Amino acid sequence: MLVRVNSEKRKLGYSGDVKGLLKLLKVQKETVVVAKNGKIVPETETVGGNDEVELIKVIFGG
Amino acid sequence: MKCYLCKQDAVVRIEYMQRELCQQHFFRMFEKRVMHTIRKFGMVKKGMRIGIAVSGGKDSTVMLHLLAQVCKPMRCKLVAILADEGIRGYRDRAIVKCKKECKKVGVPLKIYSFKKEYKVTVGEIGCRVNNSCSYCGVLRRHILNKAARELKLDVLAFGHNLDDAAQTVIMNITRNEPFRLARFGASGGISEDESFVPRIRPLIETPEKEIALYSILKGYESVMQDCPFASQAFRDRAREFLNGIEEEYPGSKKRVLESFWVIKRALEKEYAAKKGEKIGKCAKCGEPTSQKKECKACELAARARGIIKQRRKVKP
Ligand SMILES: [Zn+2]
Ligand SMILES: [Zn+2]
């Protein structure tokens, strides 16, 4: 799976829901909007395999 | 994941509702809640002249679009007001986007610059002091109130969201400054004095993340970036704390605000005496102030100009 945070890309072996992915990456759920293969998805969405997941940071500070 | 109301793909899970929503149903829920806030606090009345404090950020952009929608049938007069504090590479980019969005809804945009008003910019102050936020905050409120009075506006709308409000409540309690909370709220003035233009906060019950999502899905152009001089360490901690709590106990931010509405009534009684506080006029700019000679903004602007002069002298 390819994860893009801001403009930084990285490969990650993960399969599960977005919520778990955010926990793994230590990103607060309230601060990002997540897109899977270019479409915005809820945190209950399953990601993995060849998915391209983008974390769009929407809340700043701290 | 599918929307719980229809068969469309969901774009969001609203954790405190324990529901997934598609784009269309998310828009509907979001707009309904803002309308409800506006009605509940009686923020908008027929024929009002409303100033919309815009910045080019997501919150004020979403507020601009929603107020334009609400105010059309009520025949209100809208004007967007932007305080340009003069941070190059940041505000100028935001202004470009802001102009586009104002044009989309047909609301005129008026820009008030710190450089013109105070002969100093936050860009200049920010490079020299580490508390530029406190200068910026005071001057911003001052310039917007002055603009609102010049434009003879009935109210000034601010894009503060639920997260901002919950942070403010937690911060004031943690600092033991409850009197500040007595003045904070969804609508009304910071003082009874008529020269303070009353404020409304239509997004005060809407979570920040949902505002960002709404803005992205609507394709609004806004700057999603922090001010390069932002240095609000205490607020950052409050934000982090509340976001952590919200994740574990969904709906917490909303409950902080709900508690605040109840506490506020008691606070208002407790600090009723302060309402009779004498408001005079600033000897320099004529704006209302509770200070003796000049107002806080004129005082800070003079200090900022002083800082810049001093540091310049040192340079070879
Ligand atoms: Zn739906
Ligand atoms: Zn003054």
Side-chain angles (χ1 to χ4, degrees):
Chain A
M1 189 174 81
L2 204 61
V3 181
R4 209 168 72 196
V5 188
N6 301 324
S7 53
E8 206 180 298
K9 271 187 189 183
R10 73 180 205 195
K11 275 202 171 125
L12 197 73
Y14 174 85
S15 175
D17 63 9
V18 170
K19 218 172 153 180
L21 174 68
L22 295 178
K23 233 176 209 150
L24 185 75
L25 296 172
K26 294 197 172 67
V27 173
Q28 279 191 323
K29 198 167 67 70
E30 288 289 301
T31 64
V32 288
V33 166
V34 180
K36 170 185 164 184
N37 304 321
K39 264 178 72 185
I40 291 179
V41 292
E43 283 95 11
T44 36
E45 185 83 11
T46 310
V47 294
N50 291 323
D51 286 336
E52 209 181 307
V53 176
E54 188 186 355
L55 308 188
I56 308 161
K57 200 163 166 28
V58 292
I59 292 173
F60 295 86
Chain B
M1 278 292 160
K2 298 287 177 201
C3 171
Y4 93 102
L5 289 169
C6 70
K7 288 188 177 108
Q8 295 289 318
D9 285 336
V11 292
V12 65
R13 174 173 170 86
I14 308 291
E15 204 58 64
Y16 53 83
M17 288 166 61
Q18 300 192 311
R19 298 276 192 233
E20 272 82 12
L21 292 173
C22 67
Q23 176 167 316
Q24 187 205 341
H25 282 114
F26 168 66
F27 284 168
R28 206 172 288 174
M29 180 276 287
F30 185 96
E31 288 160 10
K32 237 171 108 179
R33 182 177 42 208
V34 177
M35 304 307 159
H36 180 254
T37 303
I38 291 174
R39 256 200 310 271
K40 186 163 89 183
F41 295 98
M43 292 179 179
V44 176
K45 291 179 190 80
K46 239 184 196 163
M48 246 183 182
R49 294 174 62 87
I50 303 173
I52 307 173
V54 291
S55 65
K58 62 181 188 325
D59 301 307
S60 61
T61 303
V62 167
M63 173 174 69
L64 168 76
H65 281 269
L66 291 176
L67 279 178
Q69 206 178 305
V70 175
C71 293
K72 218 174 188 180
M74 300 185 82
R75 276 172 288 153
C76 294
K77 183 114 180 74
L78 296 180
V79 55
I81 307 177
L82 186 143
D84 178 7
E85 75 290 82
I87 301 173
R88 247 182 261 151
Y90 174 68
R91 188 62 61 203
D92 40 1
R93 278 179 49 214
I95 289 175
V96 173
K97 292 175 191 262
C98 193
K99 276 183 182 161
K100 278 189 195 165
E101 295 302 324
C102 285
K103 211 170 172 189
K104 272 191 207 169
V105 289
V107 172
L109 170 67
K110 298 218 180 267
I111 300 175
Y112 294 83
S113 101
F114 279 24
K115 188 81 199 171
K116 210 171 154 200
E117 182 76 25
Y118 308 117
K119 313 279 179 283
V120 62
T121 69
V122 176
E124 294 167 317
I125 312 169
C127 299
R128 292 166 173 88
V129 300
N130 49 23
N131 64 337
S132 54
C133 286
S134 45
Y135 285 86
C136 191
V138 170
L139 297 182
R140 181 175 298 277
R141 280 190 291 275
H142 181 257
I143 209 168
L144 289 175
N145 192 68
K146 205 173 161 206
R149 291 207 308 145
E150 279 169 12
L151 297 167
K152 296 192 167 52
L153 302 176
D154 296 309
V155 290
L156 198 46
F158 285 86
H160 294 125
N161 56 51
L162 173 61
D163 294 46
D164 296 328
Q167 286 155 21
T168 300
V169 172
I170 294 289
M171 285 163 71
N172 283 307
I173 289 176
T174 313
R175 283 180 175 145
N176 191 22
E177 292 180 343
F179 55 92
R180 286 186 197 279
L181 281 180
R183 280 182 262 162
F184 180 70
S187 59
I190 41 173
S191 163
E192 297 290 276
D193 193 87
E194 58 175 18
S195 40
F196 281 114
V197 178
R199 297 163 186 187
I200 56 171
R201 298 185 167 91
L203 301 181
I204 200 161
E205 296 184 300
T206 305
E208 185 167 3
K209 182 178 169 173
E210 290 178 34
I211 295 171
L213 179 62
Y214 185 88
S215 174
I216 292 171
L217 292 171
K218 283 278 179 180
Y220 297 158
E221 284 199 42
S222 70
V223 176
M224 290 223 204
Q225 185 195 4
D226 226 358
C227 165
F229 298 117
S231 59
Q232 297 174 293
F234 194 45
R235 184 170 285 277
D236 290 344
R237 290 293 288 133
R239 177 185 300 116
E240 216 182 297
F241 165 74
L242 282 162
N243 283 340
I245 296 257
E246 181 72 29
E247 206 164 324
E248 271 188 74
Y249 306 98
S252 290
K253 291 174 193 170
K254 182 74 197 298
R255 288 190 290 274
V256 168
L257 190 67
E258 289 299 330
S259 289
F260 169 62
W261 296 142
V262 178
I263 297 167
K264 188 176 159 63
R265 276 177 246 144
L267 281 174
E268 277 171 350
K269 261 184 222 154
E270 175 74 19
Y271 296 101
K274 276 221 155 179
K275 274 195 173 172
E277 188 182 37
K278 259 202 181 154
I279 300 291
K281 293 228 175 313
C282 170
K284 247 182 171 168
C285 70
E287 279 289 288
T289 179
S290 53
Q291 303 209 109
K292 276 202 181 111
K293 278 184 187 160
E294 51 179 44
C295 71
K296 188 89 191 155
C298 286
E299 185 192 315
L300 282 183
R303 196 186 302 166
R305 286 191 297 266
I307 288 171
I308 287 162
K309 242 188 219 162
Q310 245 177 24
R311 301 287 162 102
R312 267 192 198 137
K313 269 186 204 158
V314 179
K315 274 185 191 165

